[in-house]
Amino acid sequence: MKKDRTPSLLLAALVALLILGLVLPEWRFLGTLAIGKGLTVLGLLLLLRTGLVSFGQGLYYCLGAYAAGTLGQFWGTTDALLLLVVAGLAAGLAAAILGILLAAYRGIFFSMLSLALSMILYGLLVKSAALGSTDGFNLPAPTLFGLPLVSHDSRYPLFVLACVLGVAAALAMHYYFRTPLGRLSPAIRDNEIRVEYLGASVRAAVHVKYVIAGILAGVGGALTGMTVGHIDPEMAYWTTSGEFVFVAILSGTGSVAAPFLGSFIFELVRTFAYEYSPNSWQLALGTAMLLIIVFLPAGLWSLVQRRRA
Amino acid sequence: MSHLLEARNLDKRFGAVTAAADISVTVAPDSVIGLIGTNGAGKTTFVNMVTGYLKPDKGRIYFEGRDITALHPRQVTRLGICRSFQIPQLYNSLSAYDNLIVALGIVLRNAKPAPWARAPRLVPGHDLPLADAAEALLERFDLGEFRDKPAGVLPEGVRKLLDIAMALANKPRVLLLDEPTSGVSSEEKFAIMDRVMSAVRAEGAAVLFVEHDMDIVARYAGRVLAFYEGRILADGAPDVVLADPQVREYVIGGQAEPKEVSHA
C-alpha cells in the first residue's frame, strides 16, 4: 500500500508559504488573490472529477462576495471569519436550491444551464442601484477577533488567513475523495448506471458535490473581495466563470493542490502580461494555454507528478 | 409466503414489439434458474423489469411478499436483488480493486442509520473492513493479478468476472446474471461458470442466468425458463424443458440449425 504523502506535503507547503509571505511582502496580495480563486477552482476540480463542467461558478463566487460585502457595508461587520462563514452559507444555500434543477443535467446542458443562472445574478446586480449597480461597492478592511488583517503597510495577517484556509480546504477535499461519497466522483464520471445498480443515487451525489463546489466558490469570492477591497457584478459574468474553467484545465485535476498552483501561475502571467502589454495580455494567456494543452495535456500538475514518479 | 421473488402477469410492449406478455414466475430461495430464448425473446426485458430499470405496462413484482414494481434500480438493489450485465458495466478508469471499493463503499454508506451518522466499521454482510472486503472479493473471483489494472484495459472474461463480483457487493438474495459467458471463448465458458457458481453459491442467493449455450444451461441450471416472443414457452427441469418439442423448434432449433442465408 502506498503511503499517503499529500497531507504532510500540504502542511509543508503551508509552512513554506508563511515563510515566503514573511520575506516577500510584495507577493502577499497576489498570493491571497490566487488562494481566493484557487478555492473556487478546487470546487470545480470536484465537479470535473465527477464529469461535470460548470461554466457558472461565478454565480457562487459573486454571491459569496456580495453576501460578505453587504454584511460589511451595511451592517459594519468586519470580522473575516464571520464574513467567510456567511459567504459560504449563502452560496451553499443557493447551490442547494439550484442544485435540485442542475443535478438532473449532464454534459453541455449542465454547463450552459449553470452559465445561464450566473448571468441571471449578473443581470440582477447590474440593475440593483442599492448595491452599486455595475460599479459594485467597496469592502471595509477585514479584521479577525478585533485585530486588523489588512493595514496600509501590511497584508500579512490576511495572507496567513488565506493560506490556512486554502490548505485546510485542500486537505478536507483530499480526505473527502477517500470517503465512499467522495469515491462516487470518478464512478459517476465513468458509469452512472452502475452507480444506481449498486444502490446509490447519482442525482443525490451530484447535488451534494454541487453544493460543496458552491460553498468553496462563495468562500473564495468573499476572500477575493476582502483582498481587493472592492466587489462588482463582473464576478458573476460568464468570462469570470470561464476563467475558472481555464485555470482548472491549466492546473489539471491530478491533485487537490493543483488549483492553487494553477491560480497562482494564472495570476502571475496575467499580472506580468498586463504590465508589459496592456493591450494584448490576453494573447499571452492564450499562448500559455495552448502550450499547456499541447505539451502538458494533464495540466501543470503533471510537471510535479512526473518529477515525483 | 414461500416465494422469494414473484412476477405476476407482466406485460411490456415497445411500440409494436411485445417484449413481455403475461409473464408469471415464482422463484424459490436457493434455486438456480436458466433463462433461454432467442434474441428479442424477452429475457433481458424480464431482468430489467425485475431490477426496476423498466416498468411493466401491466402486472406486479413481489420480493418477499413486498410489491417492488415501482421501485428504482438502486432501491431494488438495496433490497438484495442484484444483477450483472451482458456488457460489463465497470468504472473503466479505476483499477479492479477501486471498482470494488466503490461498490462496497456504497453498501457501507447505505448502512448508515442517518446521513450525518458515522458509517459502520465493517461492511454489512461481508463483516470485514472496506479494504479487506474488496480484497476478499478479488480473491474469491481469482482476480488478484488484475488488482491494480484499470478496468478499461482488462480482457473481456476478466471484465465479466469483475462485473459479477461487483453485483455481490450488496449481498444479494436474488442474483440475475445477464449472459455471464457471452463474449468469452467456448473453452473458457465452463471455467468461468464454475468460478461464478462456486463464488455465488457461497452467498446462498437464488440465481437467474440468461444463457445461450445449452450445455451450460443443462449443467448448471436446476430449472429452465424458455422465452419466446415475450411469453414463457416452458418452465421446468432442464431435461424436460430442453427436450420439449416446442422449445426445440422455437428456442434451441433456431440456434442449432445453420441459418439460411438470404441472397436478396
Side-chain angles (χ1 to χ4, degrees), chain A residues 13-206:
Chain A
L14 176 64
V15 174
L17 281 172
L18 295 183
I19 294 170
L20 281 173
L22 202 60
V23 295
L24 300 168
E26 63 273 28
W27 289 86
R28 289 172 194 162
F29 176 76
L30 196 72
T32 316
L33 199 64
I35 292 172
K37 297 190 172 179
L39 285 169
T40 313
V41 179
L42 182 65
L44 208 48
L45 172 135
L46 170 61
L47 292 177
L48 283 172
R49 283 196 182 177
T50 317
L52 300 161
V53 184
S54 165
F55 269 102
Q57 288 314 94
L59 169 63
Y60 305 109
Y61 181 68
C62 183
L63 205 65
Y66 268 75
T70 29
L71 207 61
Q73 178 79 350
F74 300 105
W75 279 278
T77 312
T78 55
D79 190 84
L81 271 188
L82 182 64
L83 292 179
L84 290 170
V85 167
V86 168
L89 284 178
L93 185 67
I97 295 166
L98 297 176
I100 298 170
L101 177 71
L102 274 163
Y105 292 89
R106 299 291 179 274
I108 191 76
F109 306 102
F110 179 87
S111 303
M112 290 298 117
L113 194 58
S114 62
L115 186 149
L117 291 171
S118 76
M119 289 307 288
I120 292 176
L121 178 66
Y122 174 78
L124 287 174
L125 289 176
V126 164
K127 298 281 180 209
S128 305
L131 292 173
S133 188
T134 51
D135 291 337
F137 55 88
N138 288 333
L139 263 64
T143 60
L144 190 63
F145 309 124
L147 301 167
L149 286 176
V150 176
S151 58
H152 63 281
D153 59 343
S154 174
R155 305 185 140 267
Y156 192 61
L158 184 60
F159 175 77
V160 171
L161 177 68
C163 287
V164 170
L165 205 61
V167 168
L171 259 181
M173 189 63 82
H174 175 72
Y175 284 116
Y176 173 76
F177 280 125
R178 306 179 144 232
T179 65
L181 182 61
R183 285 201 192 90
L184 283 186
S185 278
I188 290 171
R189 187 194 55 209
D190 277 5
N191 195 333
E192 291 193 12
I193 294 208
R194 191 60 194 240
V195 173
E196 288 278 335
Y197 265 114
L198 285 169
S201 164
V202 171
R203 198 170 165 157
V206 166

Side-chain angles (χ1 to χ4, degrees), chain A residues 270-283:
Chain A
R270 174 153 69 185
T271 308
F272 279 96
Y274 194 75
E275 208 163 294
Y276 291 111
S277 70
N279 297 317
S280 54
W281 62 275
Q282 286 102 333
L283 195 70

Side-chain angles (χ1 to χ4, degrees), chain B residues 63-194:
Chain B
F63 176 65
E64 294 183 321
R66 176 182 167 180
D67 189 340
I68 59 163
T69 319
L71 299 187
H72 291 288
R74 63 170 178 276
Q75 295 165 314
V76 174
T77 302
R78 280 183 217 165
L79 289 177
I81 302 175
C82 305
R83 71 171 293 184
S84 73
F85 296 82
Q86 187 186 348
I87 299 161
Q89 299 292 318
L90 307 173
Y91 307 122
N92 286 336
S93 67
L94 303 182
S95 68
Y97 173 77
D98 281 338
N99 268 271
L100 291 169
I101 287 285
V102 168
L104 293 160
I106 292 173
V107 178
L108 200 58
R109 214 169 84 81
N110 285 341
K112 293 200 294 185
W116 53 87
R118 277 187 84 86
R121 207 178 66 80
L122 303 179
V123 183
H126 299 258
D127 299 323
L128 289 169
L130 187 59
D132 297 347
E135 300 284 5
L137 266 181
L138 280 175
E139 199 173 314
R140 200 190 314 172
F141 283 87
D142 212 0
L143 293 171
E145 61 173 305
F146 306 103
R147 183 185 186 278
D148 297 316
K149 296 219 172 70
V153 303
L154 295 177
E156 193 60 16
V158 175
R159 287 169 58 79
K160 282 272 182 197
L161 287 175
L162 183 56
D163 188 70
I164 296 167
M166 283 170 82
L168 295 186
N170 269 287
K171 285 283 156 176
R173 309 281 313 283
V174 176
L175 183 66
L176 299 116
L177 306 173
D178 197 352
E179 303 202 21
T181 67
S182 76
V184 173
S185 69
S186 49
E187 307 89 74
E188 278 184 284
K189 281 191 174 191
F190 280 97
I192 286 209
M193 274 310 273
D194 275 340

